Amino acid sequence: MRSTKLSVTLAREALAARTESANGWLQGTPPGRTIRRVIDGLVEIELVDRSMTLAARIFTSVLPVMIAASTLSSWNLTARTIKNQFGFDPTVLTSTSGAVDTTDPSFAAFGVVGLLMIAISGTSFARALARIYGKIWNVPSINLRDAWRWLVVLFAVALSGTAIGLASELASVRFIGPPLAVAGEFAVWMAVWTLSPYLLTMGTLEGRVLWATGALTAAALTALHVGGRLVLPRITASAQHQFGPLGLVFTAISWLFVLSVVIVGSAVIVKAVALDEAYIGRYLRGPDAVASERSAESLAENDGSHDE
């Protein structure tokens, strides 16, 4: 039912897009109108502000969950992922003479409870992301009855660091290792960013729109991650040399902002393309939306003939 309602909404928006004024070079052709919708969508969603908010939520909500879970499991793959990306070993931050003994049963009990409390407070990230998707797709907000969706999204994003660490292990495979590792990373991002909008929009989005959002987000994040491995270690080393530990924080937040721009921007682009007049737009909207458009067009033509 929810999916059908969203299809009708998309159909109405697609009809409105086709009747837009043809003034100006951007609106004179269907591709131009799609580009214009992307620009308008990015402006309407307030890309910079939303991305900065999302980056801050990742830093204060997702990273603590990753660190807490990694501490309970002696860091492992998550730490290796951070080292490969940023060029520093996060284990050195806890390798002090006063380090806590993680084998102590009392620490383990506190760690589990602490992780649970961090997770509950960390849902601010998922709530912020839900508000972004809600504004883009015009869907209602999640109520407390469905608050479990926030936790699932939080843990899915947090655990993606470990999953990407596993995927990076494929690089050791002879001959095909590096491409296989990149493909594995793409698959992880694809799963996370297909699941997240599905959960945070209460299942209202069509499957094709979800897959398109996941694929575009995954492709952009994978490209950024590959590029980041080339430039981030030098940037991190320079920032750490100039500002000490604060340099690591500055670099991490800046990089999270870039990633957040990709996450928000990908959703906006998919929405704009889904309203396209050509085949790809009709495909993404799905048969229900196309049927609704045709019905609306027929009604409009009948009304016009009666007026004459």
Side-chain angles (χ1 to χ4, degrees):
M1 181 64 68
R2 289 170 179 164
S3 180
T4 301
K5 289 181 179 179
L6 185 64
S7 296
V8 173
T9 302
L10 280 178
R12 291 173 179 171
E13 291 189 41
L15 281 174
R18 283 207 291 273
T19 57
E20 288 176 347
S21 171
N23 296 328
W25 68 274
L26 266 184
Q27 292 178 298
T29 61
R33 287 191 283 275
T34 298
I35 295 173
R36 177 61 183 270
R37 283 193 297 274
V38 171
I39 296 172
D40 289 344
L42 295 176
V43 172
E44 183 180 355
I45 199 64
E46 299 174 326
L47 179 64
V48 174
D49 291 344
R50 297 276 184 171
S51 299
M52 184 59 71
T53 299
L54 195 62
R57 294 291 188 272
I58 294 174
F59 190 80
T60 59
S61 300
V62 179
L63 287 184
V65 173
M66 295 175 64
I67 292 172
S70 299
T71 301
L72 293 175
S73 60
S74 300
W75 289 89
N76 240 339
L77 291 170
T78 304
R80 201 177 310 164
T81 301
I82 295 175
K83 182 178 180 180
N84 291 338
Q85 184 71 60
F86 289 94
F88 75 95
D89 188 354
T91 57
V92 301
L93 300 178
T94 58
S95 299
T96 62
S97 58
V100 179
D101 182 10
T102 58
T103 62
D104 186 354
S106 62
F107 171 79
F110 174 79
V112 172
V113 174
L115 178 59
L116 180 60
M117 296 303 296
I118 289 173
I120 293 174
S121 62
T123 56
S124 60
F125 158 75
R127 294 198 302 271
L129 187 59
R131 287 192 293 270
I132 291 171
Y133 285 138
K135 185 171 183 179
I136 292 173
W137 294 102
N138 300 317
V139 296
S141 301
I142 296 176
N143 52 41
L144 290 178
R145 184 181 61 184
D146 294 301
W148 60 268
R149 296 171 183 268
W150 296 330
L151 285 171
V152 174
V153 169
L154 172 63
F155 279 108
V157 175
L159 292 176
S160 64
T162 301
I164 289 173
L166 287 171
S168 67
E169 296 293 305
L170 297 174
S172 59
V173 177
R174 192 174 183 182
F175 301 125
I176 61 171
L180 198 60
V182 172
E185 182 175 337
F186 175 85
V188 172
W189 290 130
M190 178 84 173
V192 170
W193 295 110
T194 301
L195 176 67
S196 295
Y198 171 76
L199 290 175
L200 296 179
T201 59
M202 305 285 287
T204 55
L205 296 185
E206 292 284 346
R208 296 172 183 179
V209 169
L210 288 170
W211 285 113
T213 302
L216 181 59
T217 308
L221 288 178
T222 301
L224 274 177
H225 201 186
V226 172
R229 282 196 288 265
L230 300 177
V231 300
L232 273 179
R234 283 178 290 179
I235 295 175
T236 302
S238 176
Q240 188 175 17
H241 176 72
Q242 294 183 40
F243 304 105
L246 282 178
L248 302 178
V249 176
F250 296 154
T251 304
I253 292 180
S254 300
W255 188 245
L256 291 176
F257 171 74
V258 175
L259 298 182
S260 298
V261 167
V262 168
I263 294 168
V264 178
S266 296
V268 171
I269 292 172
V270 170
K271 170 68 179 295
V273 173
L275 298 177
D276 188 74
E277 305 159 39
Y279 170 78
I280 187 170
R282 295 194 300 271
Y283 176 80
L284 289 177
R285 291 194 296 275
D288 291 339
V290 173
S292 299
E293 291 170 42
R294 290 173 179 169
S295 298
E297 288 175 345
S298 299
L299 288 174
E301 290 176 0
N302 291 334
D303 291 342
S305 61
H306 289 323
D307 292 339
E308 292 176 0

